[in-house]
Amino acid sequence: MTQTVFDRSERQAWAGKAEAYAAGFAKLCAYTVPALLHAAGVREGMRVLDAGTGTGTVAAAARELGAEVTAVDAEPDMVARAARTVPEADVRLASLPRLPFADGRFDAVLGNFVLNHLGRPRAALRELRRVTRPGGRVAVTVWAAPPAAGHALLGRAVQAAGVVRPAHLPALAPEDDFPRTERGLTALLGEAGLREPACTTLVWDHRTTREEWWSGPASGVATIGQILASQPDAVLAEVKRRFDELCAQFTGPDGALVLPHAALAAHGRA
């Protein structure tokens, strides 16, 4: 299956960004890992696939539970970082919606925020189901929409500065998109052939600093980072000014940022 325009854009956006991601956004995405492992029933001796492993946070947590872990990512820089993070895991370069594994290879398959970065999320879920043994579980997370206030902070700063999404950054095709709600994600799992699909919303406050929260996008991490990278210096400075203003709403007595976030965690049986 050929890559979509969205897939190619995502590959370019994340190329070489493993260290910048690890320094900021990876800490945010780690919050959902315990719920993901619980939903998939990960335990000692299970064969587990971490699809879209990034810097290896989920893979490391599954290994700590005694699972036999395979991890894949589409970005070579992420694969190298994950291999250092979890040397006991089998870490490979591979991309959805086509994985180099036999049918039913794994007891559980995990995807922490990977669906957000794929041009064909339905096809990706069908592939995750294919490599899961009958009766095994697939568990995934995506960001909820509309986003929680803390998640929306950077986007609000960009909007307040009058910046629009550049034409070279494509959005997901409407026919491939789905509602980022409990009902929408549950339906998506059902469409992929997963049985007993269910979804819950996870909410938490992410504690960080202004410097850390700005550093990832300023280094080009994620779509928001690609938007910033395409701006002239004067516009970037205006976005930063707006960001600093908006941060006041989320700054605690100790000076830390306390950013409310919400994600959807869903699972189903192959």
Side-chain angles (χ1 to χ4, degrees), residues 2-14 113-121 165 168-174 176-177 180 223:
T2 59
Q3 289 185 356
T4 67
V5 173
F6 183 85
D7 287 321
R8 290 193 291 272
S9 177
E10 284 289 316
R11 299 288 188 278
Q12 294 171 2
W14 287 98
F113 298 110
V114 67
L115 293 182
N116 299 86
H117 305 291
L118 300 173
R120 293 192 176 96
R165 187 185 181 106
H168 71 274
L169 293 178
L172 191 64
D176 291 315
D177 207 351
R180 309 305 167 102
T223 300

Side-chain angles (χ1 to χ4, degrees), residues 157-171:
V158 167
Q159 185 177 32
V163 176
V164 297
R165 187 185 181 106
H168 71 274
L169 293 178

Side-chain angles (χ1 to χ4, degrees), residues 48-50 53 59 63 67-73 79 82-83 86-93 100-101 105-106:
V48 173
L49 173 65
D50 177 19
T53 189
R63 276 294 302 154
E68 174 190 311
V69 178
T70 300
V72 299
D73 202 276
V79 170
V86 200
E88 307 89 353
D90 177 10
V91 185
R92 308 186 190 186
L93 182 69
F101 305 114
R105 169 69 178 81
F106 301 99

Side-chain angles (χ1 to χ4, degrees), residues 75-227:
E75 165 50 39
D77 196 34
M78 294 290 188
V79 170
R81 173 62 189 252
R84 295 195 300 272
T85 301
V86 200
E88 307 89 353
D90 177 10
V91 185
R92 308 186 190 186
L93 182 69
S95 59
L96 287 163
R98 180 171 293 173
L99 296 174
F101 305 114
D103 294 359
R105 169 69 178 81
F106 301 99
D107 299 309
V109 173
L110 312 171
N112 198 35
F113 298 110
V114 67
L115 293 182
N116 299 86
H117 305 291
L118 300 173
R120 293 192 176 96
R122 288 174 180 79
L125 277 170
R126 288 194 295 270
E127 181 71 348
L128 296 183
R129 178 182 58 80
R130 181 188 70 78
V131 301
T132 307
R133 67 166 175 81
R137 291 184 181 181
V138 175
V140 297
T141 54
V142 301
W143 295 114
H151 195 169
L153 171 59
L154 289 160
R156 288 175 60 199
V158 167
Q159 185 177 32
V163 176
V164 297
R165 187 185 181 106
H168 71 274
L169 293 178
L172 191 64
E175 63 271 21
D176 291 315
D177 207 351
F178 62 96
R180 309 305 167 102
T181 62
E182 290 185 10
R183 179 176 294 182
L185 186 54
T186 299
L188 191 75
L189 267 62
E191 291 171 23
L194 290 164
R195 297 180 291 112
E196 304 169 20
C199 181
T200 59
T201 300
L202 306 176
V203 295
W204 72 101
D205 288 336
H206 178 61
R207 291 182 61 84
T208 183
T209 65
R210 293 190 187 196
E211 293 74 19
E212 182 176 271
W213 203 238
W214 177 257
S215 66
S219 299
V221 172
T223 300
I224 193 73
Q226 292 298 294
I227 292 173

